[in-house]
Amino acid sequence: FMKQWVTYDPNDQRSITVANLRSLLQDLDTPMGFGKEYVASEKELTGLIKILQIPVYVNAQREPIVLFMDTGK
């Protein structure tokens, strides 16, 4: 998970956009994500984010983001 996270957070901000979280979850193999062999729908990605109960915040650019520290629960 951490190795994939760095792909979306190369400057070590410890946050990524929700759009990047969706890509991250798509890239991760099961059970943490869907894997590259299966293309999850937007509904499936949104559902997984809800199941994981990852809080969503808004950054200075008004983009929805998630914090790394909230992903380890």
Side-chain angles (χ1 to χ4, degrees):
F1 177 83
M2 290 173 23
K3 287 179 183 179
Q4 280 299 117
W5 180 279
V6 172
T7 303
Y8 298 99
D9 185 20
N11 296 322
D12 196 26
Q13 298 296 308
R14 295 192 175 95
S15 67
I16 59 174
T17 64
V18 170
N20 281 342
L21 176 62
R22 291 173 175 279
S23 296
L24 173 67
L25 293 173
Q26 178 63 66
D27 290 346
L28 289 172
D29 289 327
T30 58
M32 295 181 75
F34 292 98
K36 294 181 181 181
E37 301 81 37
Y38 175 79
V39 178
S41 68
E42 288 298 312
K43 184 176 180 179
E44 289 172 308
L45 289 163
T46 299
L48 180 55
I49 292 169
K50 286 181 181 179
I51 288 168
L52 295 172
Q53 298 180 346
I54 301 172
V56 176
Y57 305 92
V58 178
N59 65 12
Q61 292 77 34
R62 300 186 155 266
E63 299 170 306
I65 62 167
V66 295
L67 304 178
F68 180 78
M69 65 183 196
D70 289 336
T71 62
K73 296 178 181 176

